[in-house]
């Protein structure tokens, strides 16, 4: 098991070694992932993959605190980032009060906030008050309804400039790391080379400082569809289905329980 990363060790690795981040939503899986990756993200993507909702927007602070606490209980040796849910950082005071709840009520090491230029003041306020912040720019899932879907960013000059300015704003505000989602690879590269904090990509190509994937996507438990940027490292859904089918068959046939399972 590797040693738990800190903000400075993560930052020192920029340009030296790629950083790996995976989401986790519960203690059971967090324990399995613990020490195997550099960071765990308690992403509000859990609202889709765990709760079956269409988007992240209905995950409220209670939901995110509950799951973050569970993940922290399971992963004691991994740096944990918790997503601040939609509607919990509409102004800097609200953001600070809610971020403090993540620190007080869970063991999260930092919080993640979507938005660039428009969140600069908020991020700065959190950082000034002792909260470690990860930014999230490019495709921002919490804008799903206001934008009418998920759209790759950086396809034209205006969009490129907007995402680049967002990256600079997040860095200026004092975030120690930024997630860049759903952008053209050359833009992600330009951002990575333009800022001094680590850039973690998802759907942002190779030329970033690290990668993040949603665990249920990369382990093949989420089967409805596979976004282009996802690589499946196992077929979790079919493996579990097969095991459950075997169990069902053995219960019906009386093969289970076996001698070793009986008191
Ligand atoms: O909620 C989440 O899982 C995320 C990742 C997609 C970066 O924000």
């Amino acid at each position: 098991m590797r040693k738990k990363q800190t903000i400075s060790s993560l930052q020192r690795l920029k340009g030296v070694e790629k950083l790996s981040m995976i989401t986790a939503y519960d203690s059971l899986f967090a324990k399995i992932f613990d020490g195997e990756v550099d960071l765990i993200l308690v992403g509000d993507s859990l609202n889709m993959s765990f709760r079956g909702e269409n988007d992240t927007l209905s995950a409220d602070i209670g939901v995110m605190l509950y799951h973050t606490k569970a993940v922290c209980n399971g992963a004691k040796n991994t740096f944990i980032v918790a997503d601040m849910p939609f509607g919990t950082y509409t102004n800097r005071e609200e953001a600070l009060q809610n971020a403090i709840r993540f620190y007080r009520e869970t063991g999260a090491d930092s919080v993640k906030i979507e938005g660039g230029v428009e969140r600069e003041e908020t991020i700065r306020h959190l950082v000034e008050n002792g909260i470690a912040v990860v930014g999230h720019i490019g495709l921002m899932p919490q804008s799903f309804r206001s934008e009418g879907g998920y759209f790759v960013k950086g396809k034209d000059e205006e969009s490129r400039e907007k995402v680049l300015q967002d990256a600079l704003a997040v860095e200026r505000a004092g975030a120690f790391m930024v997630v860049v989602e759903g952008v053209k690879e050359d833009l992600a590269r330009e951002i990575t080379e333009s800022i001094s904090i680590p850039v973690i990509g998802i759907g942002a190509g190779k030329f970033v400082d690290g990668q993040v994937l949603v665990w249920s996507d990369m382990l093949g438990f989420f089967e409805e569809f596979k976004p282009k940027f996802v690589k499946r490292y196992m077929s979790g859904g079919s493996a579990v289905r097969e095991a459950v089918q075997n169990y069902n068959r053995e219960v019906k046939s009386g093969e289970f329980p076996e001698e070793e399972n009986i008191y």
Side-chain angles (χ1 to χ4, degrees):
M1 182 165 310
R2 60 176 99 181
K3 213 164 145 239
K4 181 171 171 172
Q5 298 281 13
T6 60
I7 291 176
S8 33
S9 66
L10 290 164
Q11 291 191 318
R12 271 198 307 273
L13 289 174
K14 183 175 170 93
V16 175
E17 182 185 311
K18 300 272 187 185
L19 299 172
S20 57
M21 188 191 221
I22 186 174
T23 67
Y25 310 137
D26 62 82
S27 175
L28 188 71
F29 275 86
K31 207 168 204 160
I32 298 173
F33 304 154
D34 193 22
E36 305 294 346
V37 285
D38 295 305
L39 304 107
I40 289 180
L41 169 66
V42 190
D44 57 1
S45 53
L46 65 84
N47 211 43
M48 294 177 285
S49 50
F50 248 48
R51 291 175 98 204
E53 299 286 346
N54 265 342
D55 56 42
T56 60
L57 302 190
S58 58
D60 61 18
I61 187 141
V63 166
M64 292 309 297
L65 289 171
Y66 173 92
H67 286 277
T68 304
K69 178 87 184 99
V71 169
C72 293
N73 287 341
K76 303 282 185 202
N77 302 293
T78 309
F79 192 97
I80 294 173
V81 182
D83 254 349
M84 291 199 52
F86 177 69
T88 63
Y89 51 96
T90 60
N91 61 64
R92 51 184 228 155
E93 262 325 300
E94 176 186 55
L96 181 58
Q97 292 318 313
N98 286 321
I100 287 173
R101 290 195 65 187
F102 277 94
Y103 267 25
R104 285 210 176 121
E105 298 174 36
T106 77
D109 297 293
S110 69
V111 297
K112 176 162 80 59
I113 282 185
E114 293 185 13
V117 172
E118 73 279 22
R119 299 286 175 218
E120 185 173 345
E121 277 314 304
T122 298
I123 296 174
R124 182 170 296 114
H125 191 54
L126 297 193
V127 174
E128 282 171 359
N129 284 282
I131 309 283
V133 179
V134 176
H136 184 151
I137 58 169
L139 187 162
M140 293 180 270
Q142 291 176 12
S143 304
F144 172 73
R145 289 194 211 164
S146 57
E147 291 190 1
Y150 296 119
F151 302 107
V152 173
K153 307 291 175 183
K155 286 185 165 173
D156 57 45
E157 220 16 74
E158 194 186 337
S159 167
R160 284 183 71 92
E161 188 53 26
K162 157 99 181 67
V163 184
L164 185 57
Q165 289 308 319
D166 282 344
L168 296 170
V170 164
E171 178 186 39
R172 241 183 353 253
F176 75 92
M177 176 179 277
V178 64
V179 168
V180 177
E181 177 167 359
V183 302
K184 301 290 283 179
E185 187 177 51
D186 60 335
L187 172 60
R189 183 178 201 163
E190 187 180 346
I191 290 169
T192 305
E193 289 167 0
S194 306
I195 62 178
S196 61
I197 57 175
V199 174
I200 305 293
I202 174 162
K206 277 180 184 300
F207 303 106
V208 285
D209 300 309
Q211 300 287 335
V212 55
L213 281 178
V214 168
W215 80 265
S216 42
D217 287 340
M218 53 113 33
L219 299 182
F221 284 92
F222 187 75
E223 296 175 303
E224 269 99 286
F225 66 95
K226 189 186 87 61
K228 183 176 166 69
F229 60 84
V230 169
K231 178 173 175 184
R232 283 189 181 149
Y233 287 83
M234 69 177 281
S235 303
S238 6
V240 169
R241 202 172 299 108
E242 197 184 316
V244 172
Q245 285 164 355
N246 288 340
Y247 165 70
N248 178 62
R249 201 188 55 249
E250 291 190 5
V251 168
K252 303 231 177 260
S253 69
E255 208 177 320
F256 175 81
E258 298 176 27
E259 275 316 305
E260 66 183 29
N261 310 119
I262 296 170
Y263 291 112

